Amino acid sequence: MIRIALADDHKMFAKGIAGLLEEEDDLRVDGIFSNGKDLLDFLKTHEVDVILTDMNMPVLDGAGVLEAIKKTSPKTKAIVLSMYHDEAIYNRSMKLGADAYVLKNSDPDELIYTVREVFEGNYLPSYSKLQQQTESDEYTDYYKLKFQLSKRETQILRMIKNGMTNKEIAASLNLSLFTVEAHRKKIHSKLKVSSVSELIRKAIDIGI
Amino acid sequence: MIRIALADDHKMFAKGIAGLLEEEDDLRVDGIFSNGKDLLDFLKTHEVDVILTDMNMPVLDGAGVLEAIKKTSPKTKAIVLSMYHDEAIYNRSMKLGADAYVLKNSDPDELIYTVREVFEGNYLPSYSKLQQQTESDEYTDYYKLKFQLSKRETQILRMIKNGMTNKEIAASLNLSLFTVEAHRKKIHSKLKVSSVSELIRKAIDIGI
DNA sequence: GAAAAAATACCCCAAACAGGGGATTTTTTC
DNA sequence: GAAAAAATCCCCTGTTTGGGGTATTTTTTC
């Protein structure tokens, strides 16, 4: 039996995940919390095998949880739940000792699989696994078909969504600023938007 | 027994909500779908009392679901689940015949309460109810305390997040463009961000 | 009712974005 | 291997943001 505790400030989502995991015979959710502090308090008196934590939480965020866990109960495995396909957040999580990084809009089976593998100690986190999570998502596929974004466009859209400027994107991909601007114009026309804010919103909606 | 069917493209979330509702003795979830079309297909052969639907879905979105439902099974009540505290989306939902509009980051009890009231025919949707949903959220409270955003700042942040430009916001609130810019600068310094994209992301993180 | 906070409005300047065009090279597809 | 699509780069122009000020009026708070 794999004992689990989780923290996520979106209560509906937290309860949701818990129900999902409880359906599995070998998984048991012992605690559901909506911030990191409540989770850590719980862990003072209860032992679990795996914790799932969101990064953005009030009072004590995911980073704080990871740090504390690695100190106080190093045997406990930690899986980060994140809304963002963002390399910077991914790297920060790993540095803080996370054992896995799962996107919130990935398939529920993906999460269950990861919990088991992490528990067994067989899971080797990598950024390419994160790539796969978004790529295997059938709905992203649908939108890819609907909006016909090319690979480069998808990549750049993701970077814009993650808060990067055209200049930063150009530097990061070794492209001319003009090229990035050209891609951006194409993205705008394909997604029928005309500003960053609309763009980001659309990107979130279609789960890119 | 209130019979429910729901559609949301975030599978984890959909399964989550379902589990949450199933915990109540008087609620039963007969179908969980990840797009509007699958939900409508189900409704051809099954009768339910209340449907819950996300607005942003592939294949057939929430608007399409509402339109179809009101035609084919007008007795079925429809509740819109939305990520966005956005008056435009709210109004569109209502125009299309939604019986209620519930935010995804509101309290689970809020949703359960709304399902029951809508089923009983006692629920009168209003935009002020939407206001309450965000305001009663304890975590938004936490962030309000942390970042000390004023009312006006919160309002403007929400409008920026919803894709409006300073000019549009100024026009909509009957303010000078300078004023909106001034507020925006304050918001930036309070949230420690320096661009729209970071701003929107932060707004989503703190659930505004 | 005085002090503090919020909301309002304005100026300046530099940086970033948005949209219009055109053109070449590389890669994919059939 | 020809045609189509994707990716690259450049120019021009106007709009929108971002950050630095200052200052007055309105509202809140104690």
Side-chain angles (χ1 to χ4, degrees), chain B residues 165 184-185 188 194-196:
Chain B
T165 64
R184 192 164 183 153
K185 273 181 264 187
H188 274 194
S194 59
S195 68
V196 220

Side-chain angles (χ1 to χ4, degrees), chain B residues 104-124:
Chain B
K104 287 188 180 180
N105 59 352
S106 65
D107 198 275
D109 292 334
E110 176 83 32
L111 177 65
I112 291 165
Y113 165 81
T114 308
V115 170
R116 288 190 183 123
E117 290 296 301
V118 162
F119 173 70
E120 300 287 348
N122 296 331
Y123 192 86
L124 203 81

